[in-house]
Structures are given as C-alpha cells and as structure tokens.
Amino acid sequence: MGMTEIIAVLMILGGGFFLLVASIGIVRFPDFYTRLHAMGKGDTLGIILILLGLCVYEGFTLNSAKLLIALVFVGLTNPVATHALARAALRYGLKPLLKLDQKDMEPSTTSKIDALET
C-alpha cells in the first residue's frame, strides 16, 4: 500500500467519523437548532473529507474531476440549506431552547428571548 492509498483511507475514515458524530448529535441534542448545527457542520465536513479521499485515491482522472465538482456543490449548498432551515424555523416561531431544568430535564418555561420580547 502506497502513501497515496494511506492518505485516501485516512481521509475517508475521518469523513466517516465526522458523519457518525453528526448522527449522534442529531439524536442526542435537545432542540431543533442544536440538531441543525450538528447536521450542518458534521455532514458537510464528513462528506467533503470522503470525497477528497476518493479524489486522492483516484488520482488525476475524469472521475476525480467529477468528484471535485460534487465536492464544491456540497460545500456550497449544505451550509446555505442549513441556514435557510434555521431562518425558516425562526420565522415560523420555533424558539431556541436556551436552558434546561436539571432535575427533570424538561425545557424551562422562560427563556432569554421571552425576557427580551417583554
């Protein structure tokens, strides 16, 4: 196994790690905005690392050029889509969870946004 294959495998494994961490974040985080943050950051970085690893493994070919085009497309559209989802949720009235009560782990009834609006 050459140095190119080792770098490609490390990048693909790193991308898989970020996708796994993002998936765990989507399940574990308490509200929509934090889940969206985990999805936006982890998925974008994970997919970019996997596509870069595949480009390194493939070398300078037409297939790697296609992978680079997909990489640029994902790198541009995923953060924009995440921002659009968060903005739409905020405009729809979904408030971010700012504080949890520790004894029952339920969202508190008052938040900083409520205090600012009054």
Side-chain angles (χ1 to χ4, degrees), residues 8 13 31 37 90:
L13 288 177
D31 72 336
H37 176 75
L90 195 61

Side-chain angles (χ1 to χ4, degrees), residues 59-115:
F60 289 109
T61 62
L62 181 60
N63 289 334
S64 64
K66 291 176 185 176
L67 288 171
L68 285 176
I69 290 171
L71 186 146
V72 169
F73 182 73
V74 167
L76 290 176
T77 57
N78 203 3
V80 172
T82 304
H83 177 76
L85 281 173
R87 187 178 171 111
L90 195 61
R91 284 190 176 187
Y92 185 70
L94 184 64
K95 294 181 180 177
L97 180 64
L98 298 175
K99 187 172 139 185
L100 287 175
D101 291 332
Q102 291 298 321
K103 63 180 178 182
D104 56 0
M105 295 300 285
E106 291 293 323
S108 73
T109 56
T110 59
S111 68
K112 291 180 182 177
I113 289 181
D114 289 337

